[in-house]
Amino acid sequence: MSTRTESTLVERRTEPRRGPGARARDGLFALLRWIGRHVQGFRAALGVFLALGLTVVLVGSIAFATLANRVMAGRTQQVDEAILRWMGEHGSESLNVAALEVTALGARLVVWMVVLVASAFLWVSRHRWSAALLWVSMLGSGLVNMALKSAFNRPRPDVFPWRTPHAGTASFPSGHAMTSMVVYGTLGFLIGRLMPTRTLKWCTWAVAALVIGLVSASRLYLGVHYPSDVLGGLMTGAAWAVTCGLGMEAVRYFRHRRPQVAAEERDLTTPPAES
């Protein structure tokens, strides 16, 4: 499809976008229009967009590296231990049970089951690019987390006895926090964009945020992570999730360059700003 037609599809808006994130959406579509003018073909345009999207990961990685340097230099240790001591002083049997149930939502087996069920639903409902995006987000998150844990190899905290019988190897960054941010954040984005009303969209995103927050807090309450571990996992996970989410918008924008996309992914005709 010609660049002129693609530009017309976007530039037909006669009023400025309003509401939360309007400037961000304007910037997104400006970038898409620029790629459309300079790159030919669906795969090439999508590849360029994802390559540029890696700058989001770079920004997140810079923030992560700053935190990591502070962690490895011991500058966060006093704050980390103070928060964990407070957690250790405010526990109960009922909270222990609840925390173990909640933290399981970020465990590997549960996450795999969630992704399998969600991707099966997306596939049969003809949202195949969304299903692929979900798998890319999860597998990429696992690889990044393993690499970072191996690189930093921070020991687990020993501020108070753990409230869980088992924890993994290295502590920094938190795998549960990172996985929850990536998987539930991406899933919230994919499902939210299919909701028919803005209220349902916000409810979907709120549920995803709640799950991410609860899983992250449970790792502190159980005593198996420092706060800086959880923060590092959330920061890196957010950078990766945003990159994957932007990939879906690129598929939507350049769909007219590949006719098969319409058969592979439903609802792509809905304007991104409205979804």
Side-chain angles (χ1 to χ4, degrees):
M1 183 174 181
S2 67
T3 302
R4 178 181 178 182
T5 306
E6 286 174 350
S7 299
T8 301
L9 287 170
V10 177
E11 292 171 356
R12 65 186 177 186
R13 181 180 293 275
T14 58
E15 297 180 359
R17 296 181 178 87
R18 301 181 184 279
R23 291 187 178 181
R25 291 195 294 272
D26 287 339
L28 170 63
F29 295 128
L31 174 60
L32 289 170
R33 287 193 295 270
W34 182 87
I35 294 174
R37 288 194 299 268
H38 294 85
V39 181
Q40 299 296 320
F42 175 80
R43 294 179 185 274
L46 182 59
V48 169
F49 185 84
L50 290 175
L52 293 175
L54 288 177
T55 59
V56 177
V57 177
L58 178 60
V59 171
S61 298
I62 292 173
F64 177 87
T66 301
L67 175 62
N69 287 333
R70 290 180 174 273
V71 168
M72 300 311 292
R75 296 175 185 174
T76 66
Q77 196 70 25
Q78 185 176 358
V79 176
D80 280 341
E81 292 184 357
I83 294 174
L84 285 185
R85 280 195 296 270
W86 185 89
M87 289 281 186
E89 295 168 358
H90 296 80
S92 67
E93 287 299 323
S94 58
L95 282 177
N96 293 352
V97 173
L100 289 172
E101 295 290 341
V102 169
T103 205
L105 294 174
R108 188 176 305 171
L109 179 61
V110 174
V111 168
W112 274 87
M113 294 303 298
V114 169
V115 171
L116 280 171
V117 172
S119 58
F121 166 76
L122 291 169
W123 187 271
V124 299
S125 62
R126 218 179 77 197
H127 294 95
R128 297 177 181 178
W129 283 88
S130 295
L133 171 64
L134 188 58
W135 280 99
V136 168
S137 68
M138 186 190 71
L139 295 175
S141 171
L143 291 174
V144 171
N145 190 257
M146 285 191 297
L148 292 174
K149 281 183 178 290
S150 298
F152 292 103
N153 197 30
R154 187 188 195 188
R156 294 274 177 175
D158 190 22
V159 177
F160 62 86
W162 294 351
R163 291 165 173 151
T164 178
H166 174 72
T169 53
S171 184
F172 186 81
S174 168
H176 278 65
M178 183 175 179
T179 301
S180 297
M181 173 63 79
V182 172
V183 173
Y184 294 116
T186 303
L187 194 56
F189 166 77
L190 294 175
I191 296 177
R193 74 185 184 88
L194 303 178
M195 293 293 102
T197 67
R198 187 175 297 275
T199 300
L200 289 175
K201 290 177 180 24
W202 281 104
C203 288
T204 301
W205 298 332
V207 170
L210 179 63
V211 172
I212 294 168
L214 289 175
V215 171
S216 300
S218 72
R219 304 308 289 170
L220 301 179
Y221 178 82
L222 294 174
V224 294
H225 276 297
Y226 292 108
S228 54
D229 300 335
V230 173
L231 181 59
L234 292 174
M235 291 166 59
T236 310
W240 179 244
V242 168
T243 301
C244 292
L246 292 180
M248 193 66 239
E249 295 306 322
V251 170
R252 182 200 303 276
Y253 187 88
F254 296 114
R255 66 188 182 277
H256 299 290
R257 294 185 175 188
R258 177 183 167 89
Q260 301 95 313
V261 172
E264 296 165 348
E265 184 78 16
R266 293 178 57 193
D267 307 313
L268 286 178
T269 55
T270 304
E274 301 302 324
S275 66

